[in-house]
Amino acid sequence: MSQGRGSAMLTVAAAVCLLLVLNCEGAQAATYKVGGTAGWSFNTASWPRGKRFRAGDILVFNYSPAAHNVVAVNKAGYNSCKAPAGAKVYSSGKDQIKLVKGQNFFICTLPGHCQSGMKIAVNAA
């Protein structure tokens, strides 16, 4: 009979641990509107400054899809304002992108936009 209680206690303990892990993951993720109320537009390169990002956080890019896009690039693409072959292009105007751990770079590839500060670099812990 004591074996049955031990198994039940172990099952309950495992369930509680699982709930804690799932709850902690959800509690840590945050959602950020890139560019604040202005949205994804020119001169947003400094927008990430002073913010603390974590892997799993969501960046929301709001913009007119007729006027802009969002392209996930590497550091070289960010610095040169050129998307490398195979870069992921977003164009819905309401893109939600989950950050990965480390450096995350995004640019607008329409002519002159990235050069006018329509790019961000985000470091996620």
Side-chain angles (χ1 to χ4, degrees), residues 3-4 10 12 16-17 21 25-26 29 45-46 62 67 71 78-79 88-90 97-98 101 112 116-117 121 124:
Q3 269 186 331
L10 185 58
V12 169
V16 168
C17 287
V21 167
E25 280 183 24
S46 63
N62 291 318
V71 182
Y78 178 83
N79 289 334
K88 174 71 175 157
V89 178
Y90 300 87
I97 303 173
K98 185 184 281 191
K101 187 173 181 149
S116 295

PDB file of all heavy atoms in Angstrom, residues 3-4 10 12 16-17 21 25-26 29 45-46 62 67 71 78-79 88-90 97-98 101 112 116-117 121 124:
ATOM      1  N   GLN A   3       3.677   1.556  -1.458  1.00  0.00           N
ATOM      2  CA  GLN A   3       4.208   1.720  -2.808  1.00  0.00           C
ATOM      3  C   GLN A   3       3.233   2.510  -3.672  1.00  0.00           C
ATOM      4  O   GLN A   3       3.619   3.343  -4.463  1.00  0.00           O
ATOM      5  CB  GLN A   3       4.437   0.357  -3.459  1.00  0.00           C
ATOM      6  CG  GLN A   3       5.818  -0.174  -3.214  1.00  0.00           C
ATOM      7  CD  GLN A   3       6.030  -1.450  -3.994  1.00  0.00           C
ATOM      8  OE1 GLN A   3       5.091  -2.198  -4.262  1.00  0.00           O
ATOM      9  NE2 GLN A   3       7.274  -1.712  -4.339  1.00  0.00           N
ATOM     10  N   GLY A   4       1.960   2.277  -3.527  1.00  0.00           N
ATOM     11  CA  GLY A   4       0.936   2.986  -4.304  1.00  0.00           C
ATOM     12  C   GLY A   4       0.949   4.460  -3.995  1.00  0.00           C
ATOM     13  O   GLY A   4       0.847   5.300  -4.888  1.00  0.00           O
ATOM     14  N   LEU A  10       4.854  10.668  -6.635  1.00  0.00           N
ATOM     15  CA  LEU A  10       5.815  10.921  -7.707  1.00  0.00           C
ATOM     16  C   LEU A  10       5.108  11.492  -8.937  1.00  0.00           C
ATOM     17  O   LEU A  10       5.597  12.442  -9.559  1.00  0.00           O
ATOM     18  CB  LEU A  10       6.553   9.629  -8.068  1.00  0.00           C
ATOM     19  CG  LEU A  10       7.669   9.750  -9.093  1.00  0.00           C
ATOM     20  CD1 LEU A  10       8.726  10.744  -8.624  1.00  0.00           C
ATOM     21  CD2 LEU A  10       8.302   8.407  -9.343  1.00  0.00           C
ATOM     22  N   VAL A  12       2.266  13.195  -9.002  1.00  0.00           N
ATOM     23  CA  VAL A  12       1.835  14.555  -8.676  1.00  0.00           C
ATOM     24  C   VAL A  12       3.029  15.509  -8.742  1.00  0.00           C
ATOM     25  O   VAL A  12       2.938  16.608  -9.305  1.00  0.00           O
ATOM     26  CB  VAL A  12       1.148  14.609  -7.290  1.00  0.00           C
ATOM     27  CG1 VAL A  12       0.943  16.039  -6.831  1.00  0.00           C
ATOM     28  CG2 VAL A  12      -0.178  13.869  -7.336  1.00  0.00           C
ATOM     29  N   VAL A  16       3.418  18.760 -11.221  1.00  0.00           N
ATOM     30  CA  VAL A  16       3.663  20.110 -10.700  1.00  0.00           C
ATOM     31  C   VAL A  16       4.908  20.703 -11.354  1.00  0.00           C
ATOM     32  O   VAL A  16       4.914  21.869 -11.768  1.00  0.00           O
ATOM     33  CB  VAL A  16       3.787  20.096  -9.157  1.00  0.00           C
ATOM     34  CG1 VAL A  16       4.321  21.404  -8.640  1.00  0.00           C
ATOM     35  CG2 VAL A  16       2.438  19.776  -8.531  1.00  0.00           C
ATOM     36  N   CYS A  17       5.959  19.906 -11.478  1.00  0.00           N
ATOM     37  CA  CYS A  17       7.187  20.391 -12.126  1.00  0.00           C
ATOM     38  C   CYS A  17       6.926  20.776 -13.581  1.00  0.00           C
ATOM     39  O   CYS A  17       7.402  21.809 -14.053  1.00  0.00           O
ATOM     40  CB  CYS A  17       8.280  19.325 -12.067  1.00  0.00           C
ATOM     41  SG  CYS A  17       8.986  19.140 -10.420  1.00  0.00           S
ATOM     42  N   VAL A  21       7.424  24.542 -15.257  1.00  0.00           N
ATOM     43  CA  VAL A  21       8.278  24.783 -16.417  1.00  0.00           C
ATOM     44  C   VAL A  21       7.478  25.476 -17.517  1.00  0.00           C
ATOM     45  O   VAL A  21       7.915  26.463 -18.097  1.00  0.00           O
ATOM     46  CB  VAL A  21       8.900  23.466 -16.943  1.00  0.00           C
ATOM     47  CG1 VAL A  21       9.518  23.657 -18.317  1.00  0.00           C
ATOM     48  CG2 VAL A  21       9.934  22.956 -15.959  1.00  0.00           C
ATOM     49  N   GLU A  25       8.080  29.496 -18.874  1.00  0.00           N
ATOM     50  CA  GLU A  25       8.363  29.838 -20.262  1.00  0.00           C
ATOM     51  C   GLU A  25       7.403  30.903 -20.752  1.00  0.00           C
ATOM     52  O   GLU A  25       7.795  31.870 -21.383  1.00  0.00           O
ATOM     53  CB  GLU A  25       8.259  28.595 -21.155  1.00  0.00           C
ATOM     54  CG  GLU A  25       9.483  27.723 -21.097  1.00  0.00           C
ATOM     55  CD  GLU A  25       9.385  26.548 -22.045  1.00  0.00           C
ATOM     56  OE1 GLU A  25       8.632  26.631 -23.033  1.00  0.00           O
ATOM     57  OE2 GLU A  25      10.048  25.551 -21.796  1.00  0.00           O
ATOM     58  N   GLY A  26       6.127  30.739 -20.476  1.00  0.00           N
ATOM     59  CA  GLY A  26       5.128  31.698 -20.914  1.00  0.00           C
ATOM     60  C   GLY A  26       5.289  33.031 -20.220  1.00  0.00           C
ATOM     61  O   GLY A  26       5.078  34.086 -20.819  1.00  0.00           O
ATOM     62  N   ALA A  29       8.228  35.246 -21.888  1.00  0.00           N
ATOM     63  CA  ALA A  29       8.098  35.785 -23.246  1.00  0.00           C
ATOM     64  C   ALA A  29       7.351  37.113 -23.212  1.00  0.00           C
ATOM     65  O   ALA A  29       6.381  37.280 -22.497  1.00  0.00           O
ATOM     66  CB  ALA A  29       7.367  34.790 -24.140  1.00  0.00           C
ATOM     67  N   ALA A  45      16.362  52.300 -36.281  1.00  0.00           N
ATOM     68  CA  ALA A  45      17.580  51.570 -35.906  1.00  0.00           C
ATOM     69  C   ALA A  45      17.880  51.680 -34.416  1.00  0.00           C
ATOM     70  O   ALA A  45      18.413  50.747 -33.812  1.00  0.00           O
ATOM     71  CB  ALA A  45      18.770  52.060 -36.730  1.00  0.00           C
ATOM     72  N   SER A  46      17.523  52.791 -33.786  1.00  0.00           N
ATOM     73  CA  SER A  46      17.812  52.972 -32.356  1.00  0.00           C
ATOM     74  C   SER A  46      16.687  52.456 -31.452  1.00  0.00           C
ATOM     75  O   SER A  46      16.839  52.460 -30.231  1.00  0.00           O
ATOM     76  CB  SER A  46      18.059  54.449 -32.055  1.00  0.00           C
ATOM     77  OG  SER A  46      16.892  55.207 -32.316  1.00  0.00           O
ATOM     78  N   ASN A  62       4.530  46.342 -37.599  1.00  0.00           N
ATOM     79  CA  ASN A  62       3.329  46.915 -38.212  1.00  0.00           C
ATOM     80  C   ASN A  62       3.763  47.945 -39.247  1.00  0.00           C
ATOM     81  O   ASN A  62       4.521  48.868 -38.934  1.00  0.00           O
ATOM     82  CB  ASN A  62       2.441  47.579 -37.155  1.00  0.00           C
ATOM     83  CG  ASN A  62       1.812  46.559 -36.218  1.00  0.00           C
ATOM     84  OD1 ASN A  62       1.354  45.507 -36.654  1.00  0.00           O
ATOM     85  ND2 ASN A  62       1.787  46.862 -34.946  1.00  0.00           N
ATOM     86  N   ALA A  67       4.312  49.576 -48.959  1.00  0.00           N
ATOM     87  CA  ALA A  67       5.429  50.500 -48.847  1.00  0.00           C
ATOM     88  C   ALA A  67       6.707  49.884 -48.281  1.00  0.00           C
ATOM     89  O   ALA A  67       7.790  50.428 -48.497  1.00  0.00           O
ATOM     90  CB  ALA A  67       5.032  51.692 -47.980  1.00  0.00           C
ATOM     91  N   VAL A  71      12.911  41.832 -43.621  1.00  0.00           N
ATOM     92  CA  VAL A  71      13.743  40.708 -44.041  1.00  0.00           C
ATOM     93  C   VAL A  71      14.704  40.369 -42.909  1.00  0.00           C
ATOM     94  O   VAL A  71      15.403  41.251 -42.399  1.00  0.00           O
ATOM     95  CB  VAL A  71      14.524  41.038 -45.337  1.00  0.00           C
ATOM     96  CG1 VAL A  71      15.348  39.836 -45.783  1.00  0.00           C
ATOM     97  CG2 VAL A  71      13.570  41.482 -46.442  1.00  0.00           C
ATOM     98  N   TYR A  78      22.870  43.099 -42.527  1.00  0.00           N
ATOM     99  CA  TYR A  78      22.484  44.284 -41.755  1.00  0.00           C
ATOM    100  C   TYR A  78      23.429  45.444 -42.062  1.00  0.00           C
ATOM    101  O   TYR A  78      22.998  46.565 -42.336  1.00  0.00           O
ATOM    102  CB  TYR A  78      22.512  43.949 -40.264  1.00  0.00           C
ATOM    103  CG  TYR A  78      22.181  45.115 -39.363  1.00  0.00           C
ATOM    104  CD1 TYR A  78      20.858  45.449 -39.103  1.00  0.00           C
ATOM    105  CD2 TYR A  78      23.182  45.873 -38.778  1.00  0.00           C
ATOM    106  CE1 TYR A  78      20.546  46.525 -38.274  1.00  0.00           C
ATOM    107  CE2 TYR A  78      22.885  46.948 -37.955  1.00  0.00           C
ATOM    108  CZ  TYR A  78      21.562  47.264 -37.703  1.00  0.00           C
ATOM    109  OH  TYR A  78      21.258  48.327 -36.889  1.00  0.00           O
ATOM    110  N   ASN A  79      24.721  45.169 -42.025  1.00  0.00           N
ATOM    111  CA  ASN A  79      25.720  46.223 -42.246  1.00  0.00           C
ATOM    112  C   ASN A  79      25.707  46.765 -43.680  1.00  0.00           C
ATOM    113  O   ASN A  79      25.898  47.959 -43.898  1.00  0.00           O
ATOM    114  CB  ASN A  79      27.121  45.725 -41.892  1.00  0.00           C
ATOM    115  CG  ASN A  79      27.296  45.544 -40.400  1.00  0.00           C
ATOM    116  OD1 ASN A  79      26.637  46.184 -39.591  1.00  0.00           O
ATOM    117  ND2 ASN A  79      28.180  44.633 -40.016  1.00  0.00           N
ATOM    118  N   LYS A  88      14.770  35.179 -45.236  1.00  0.00           N
ATOM    119  CA  LYS A  88      13.318  35.114 -45.033  1.00  0.00           C
ATOM    120  C   LYS A  88      12.730  36.515 -45.186  1.00  0.00           C
ATOM    121  O   LYS A  88      13.131  37.441 -44.490  1.00  0.00           O
ATOM    122  CB  LYS A  88      13.017  34.532 -43.646  1.00  0.00           C
ATOM    123  CG  LYS A  88      11.557  34.535 -43.262  1.00  0.00           C
ATOM    124  CD  LYS A  88      10.757  33.546 -44.050  1.00  0.00           C
ATOM    125  CE  LYS A  88       9.325  33.515 -43.524  1.00  0.00           C
ATOM    126  NZ  LYS A  88       8.377  33.034 -44.454  1.00  0.00           N
ATOM    127  N   VAL A  89      11.764  36.647 -46.101  1.00  0.00           N
ATOM    128  CA  VAL A  89      11.105  37.925 -46.362  1.00  0.00           C
ATOM    129  C   VAL A  89       9.688  37.862 -45.808  1.00  0.00           C
ATOM    130  O   VAL A  89       8.943  36.927 -46.071  1.00  0.00           O
ATOM    131  CB  VAL A  89      11.054  38.228 -47.876  1.00  0.00           C
ATOM    132  CG1 VAL A  89      10.319  39.545 -48.141  1.00  0.00           C
ATOM    133  CG2 VAL A  89      12.448  38.254 -48.472  1.00  0.00           C
ATOM    134  N   TYR A  90       9.323  38.877 -45.029  1.00  0.00           N
ATOM    135  CA  TYR A  90       7.973  39.016 -44.478  1.00  0.00           C
ATOM    136  C   TYR A  90       7.323  40.215 -45.154  1.00  0.00           C
ATOM    137  O   TYR A  90       7.967  41.247 -45.341  1.00  0.00           O
ATOM    138  CB  TYR A  90       8.028  39.254 -42.967  1.00  0.00           C
ATOM    139  CG  TYR A  90       8.686  38.140 -42.189  1.00  0.00           C
ATOM    140  CD1 TYR A  90      10.072  38.127 -41.995  1.00  0.00           C
ATOM    141  CD2 TYR A  90       7.941  37.106 -41.647  1.00  0.00           C
ATOM    142  CE1 TYR A  90      10.680  37.112 -41.283  1.00  0.00           C
ATOM    143  CE2 TYR A  90       8.545  36.085 -40.933  1.00  0.00           C
ATOM    144  CZ  TYR A  90       9.915  36.093 -40.756  1.00  0.00           C
ATOM    145  OH  TYR A  90      10.515  35.082 -40.046  1.00  0.00           O
ATOM    146  N   ILE A  97       7.483  37.931 -35.332  1.00  0.00           N
ATOM    147  CA  ILE A  97       8.701  37.133 -35.464  1.00  0.00           C
ATOM    148  C   ILE A  97       9.246  36.819 -34.079  1.00  0.00           C
ATOM    149  O   ILE A  97       9.460  37.720 -33.265  1.00  0.00           O
ATOM    150  CB  ILE A  97       9.753  37.884 -36.304  1.00  0.00           C
ATOM    151  CG1 ILE A  97       9.164  38.233 -37.674  1.00  0.00           C
ATOM    152  CG2 ILE A  97      11.021  37.055 -36.428  1.00  0.00           C
ATOM    153  CD1 ILE A  97      10.047  39.128 -38.527  1.00  0.00           C
ATOM    154  N   LYS A  98       9.468  35.527 -33.831  1.00  0.00           N
ATOM    155  CA  LYS A  98      10.009  35.082 -32.542  1.00  0.00           C
ATOM    156  C   LYS A  98      11.527  35.195 -32.567  1.00  0.00           C
ATOM    157  O   LYS A  98      12.181  34.725 -33.499  1.00  0.00           O
ATOM    158  CB  LYS A  98       9.602  33.633 -32.265  1.00  0.00           C
ATOM    159  CG  LYS A  98      10.035  33.144 -30.884  1.00  0.00           C
ATOM    160  CD  LYS A  98       9.704  31.680 -30.681  1.00  0.00           C
ATOM    161  CE  LYS A  98       8.253  31.520 -30.341  1.00  0.00           C
ATOM    162  NZ  LYS A  98       7.946  30.143 -29.885  1.00  0.00           N
ATOM    163  N   LYS A 101      17.943  33.029 -29.615  1.00  0.00           N
ATOM    164  CA  LYS A 101      19.019  33.450 -28.717  1.00  0.00           C
ATOM    165  C   LYS A 101      20.180  34.003 -29.535  1.00  0.00           C
ATOM    166  O   LYS A 101      20.567  33.449 -30.552  1.00  0.00           O
ATOM    167  CB  LYS A 101      19.483  32.263 -27.865  1.00  0.00           C
ATOM    168  CG  LYS A 101      20.482  32.670 -26.806  1.00  0.00           C
ATOM    169  CD  LYS A 101      20.802  31.526 -25.868  1.00  0.00           C
ATOM    170  CE  LYS A 101      21.779  32.034 -24.834  1.00  0.00           C
ATOM    171  NZ  LYS A 101      21.631  31.374 -23.567  1.00  0.00           N
ATOM    172  N   GLY A 112      16.710  52.261 -50.624  1.00  0.00           N
ATOM    173  CA  GLY A 112      16.966  53.402 -49.756  1.00  0.00           C
ATOM    174  C   GLY A 112      16.404  53.304 -48.354  1.00  0.00           C
ATOM    175  O   GLY A 112      16.777  54.092 -47.482  1.00  0.00           O
ATOM    176  N   SER A 116      18.166  54.487 -44.752  1.00  0.00           N
ATOM    177  CA  SER A 116      17.516  55.571 -44.004  1.00  0.00           C
ATOM    178  C   SER A 116      17.135  55.136 -42.577  1.00  0.00           C
ATOM    179  O   SER A 116      16.289  55.755 -41.954  1.00  0.00           O
ATOM    180  CB  SER A 116      16.272  56.040 -44.750  1.00  0.00           C
ATOM    181  OG  SER A 116      16.617  56.621 -45.985  1.00  0.00           O
ATOM    182  N   GLY A 117      17.761  54.059 -42.120  1.00  0.00           N
ATOM    183  CA  GLY A 117      17.565  53.618 -40.737  1.00  0.00           C
ATOM    184  C   GLY A 117      16.430  52.642 -40.523  1.00  0.00           C
ATOM    185  O   GLY A 117      16.032  52.379 -39.388  1.00  0.00           O
ATOM    186  N   ALA A 121      18.860  45.807 -34.992  1.00  0.00           N
ATOM    187  CA  ALA A 121      19.682  44.695 -34.498  1.00  0.00           C
ATOM    188  C   ALA A 121      19.254  44.454 -33.068  1.00  0.00           C
ATOM    189  O   ALA A 121      19.258  45.386 -32.253  1.00  0.00           O
ATOM    190  CB  ALA A 121      21.153  45.049 -34.570  1.00  0.00           C
ATOM    191  N   ALA A 124      19.147  38.879 -28.149  1.00  0.00           N
ATOM    192  CA  ALA A 124      18.253  38.192 -27.222  1.00  0.00           C
ATOM    193  C   ALA A 124      19.050  37.255 -26.312  1.00  0.00           C
ATOM    194  O   ALA A 124      19.822  36.434 -26.798  1.00  0.00           O
ATOM    195  CB  ALA A 124      17.195  37.400 -27.990  1.00  0.00           C
TER     196      ALA A 124
END
